[in-house]
Amino acid sequence: MRDSLVVARRNLLRMMRIPEVVVFGLIQPIMFVVLFAYVFGGSINIPGAGLDADAYREFLMGGIFAQTVTFATAGAGAGIAEDMQKGIIDRFRSLPMARGAVLTGRTFADLAQTAVTLLVLAIVAFLVGWRVHDGVLNALAAFALLLLFGYAFTWIGALIGLSVRSPEAATSGGLVWLFPLTFISNAFVPTENMPGWLQPVAEWNPFSATVLAVRELFGNMPADYQAPDSWPMQNPELASAIFSLIVIAIFRTLAVRKYKRATG
């Protein structure tokens, strides 16, 4: 853990010295909030609320928050691929440190950056009409679930970064599968509006469980909304936590194993 925190500090200092990376990382989710809130608001039917634009803005934010934390995957992969390409990983190998600390430290640093992004995004969401209706403790629990979910996905990014030859490939590889994951979910439209054959796929998507969980914890669901009968939609908070822990267990193991082979 000590070695991981040292590596995390190194990555955070690097991020602070290249502030444009952080700034550009903030611009994209802010654009999503503004565009979706005002372009699609009032055009999408929300079960229990109809075509109410204000209801859609509150419905939307759970999806935007979840999408934002998962997009950290691309940054994690690109950062590790860059370190591999420049030989920095070889320098770490010469130090008396735990092998897994390099990857764990990187994911800790990405988690810190994600937390800052969520804070800024919440402020922007507040300005466009989003509100928390279910208390501070539930709101903190929602942000904790989001950070856990984002942390899980940074391990997927770490594995991608170790598997490609350049930061550019890592960025592309980290994003190309995220778009279907986020759009085949309840992030932007209710799953009830999807074709019947696609609804079970969306409902068992870990992304959907996290989105519904944070909506419920923020109090952003219409009072008359009835969740689908599938287990993740009936138990979204528990499902989100379980899915995140499973992703961490699988992809951390694979990433550390890949790292040892890549630097062995």
Side-chain angles (χ1 to χ4, degrees):
M1 181 58 66
R2 179 178 176 276
D3 292 345
S4 298
L5 293 175
V6 171
V7 176
R9 180 176 177 273
R10 172 256 177 189
N11 283 289
L12 287 172
L13 287 173
R14 183 174 180 275
M15 291 176 186
M16 292 171 61
R17 290 168 182 168
I18 313 176
E20 56 268 27
V21 175
V22 179
V23 172
F24 290 144
L26 291 171
I27 291 175
Q28 180 175 307
I30 290 173
M31 288 176 60
F32 269 105
V33 171
V34 175
L35 290 174
F36 274 82
Y38 292 106
V39 174
F40 293 101
S43 302
I44 295 178
N45 182 52
I46 305 299
L51 296 176
D52 188 330
D54 292 332
Y56 181 71
R57 290 191 188 103
E58 297 213 333
F59 177 88
L60 168 71
M61 284 315 304
I64 295 292
F65 282 133
Q67 183 190 56
T68 299
V69 300
T70 56
F71 273 25
T73 302
I80 290 173
E82 183 179 13
D83 286 346
M84 292 284 290
Q85 187 182 59
K86 291 183 176 180
I88 295 175
I89 299 297
D90 290 331
R91 298 179 188 178
F92 283 135
R93 288 180 59 209
S94 67
L95 300 175
M97 62 187 298
R99 287 292 181 92
V102 174
L103 301 181
T104 304
R106 174 73 208 195
T107 57
F108 282 172
D110 289 324
L111 180 64
Q113 183 179 354
T114 300
V116 173
T117 304
L118 279 179
L119 176 61
V120 175
L121 191 57
I123 295 171
V124 174
F126 185 84
L127 294 176
V128 301
W130 172 73
R131 296 292 183 272
V132 172
H133 301 288
D134 212 8
V136 175
L137 291 179
N138 279 344
L140 292 175
F143 283 118
L145 274 180
L146 286 167
L147 290 174
L148 177 63
F149 192 62
Y151 181 71
F153 272 65
T154 58
W155 281 107
I156 300 178
L159 181 61
I160 293 173
L162 291 167
S163 303
V164 298
R165 297 182 180 181
S166 70
E168 293 79 11
T171 300
S172 300
L175 290 176
V176 66
W177 58 276
L178 279 176
F179 282 100
L181 182 76
T182 55
F183 281 93
I184 305 176
S185 73
N186 59 2
F188 306 113
V189 298
T191 57
E192 294 90 327
N193 294 358
M194 297 180 181
W197 62 269
L198 191 58
Q199 290 181 19
V201 178
E203 290 166 7
W204 280 89
N205 182 346
F207 197 89
S208 294
T210 301
V211 171
L212 183 56
V214 299
R215 281 178 182 150
E216 290 186 353
L217 290 168
F218 286 139
N220 291 155
M221 295 303 298
D224 297 332
Y225 177 77
Q226 296 293 326
D229 291 333
S230 59
W231 182 82
M233 297 295 96
Q234 291 293 322
N235 307 275
E237 293 88 353
L238 179 60
S240 174
I242 290 175
F243 285 144
S244 296
L245 293 175
I246 290 174
V247 169
I248 292 172
I250 293 174
F251 284 92
R252 188 185 189 281
T253 302
L254 293 175
V256 172
R257 186 178 300 170
K258 182 76 173 179
Y259 171 79
K260 289 179 178 179
R261 286 204 300 263
T263 60

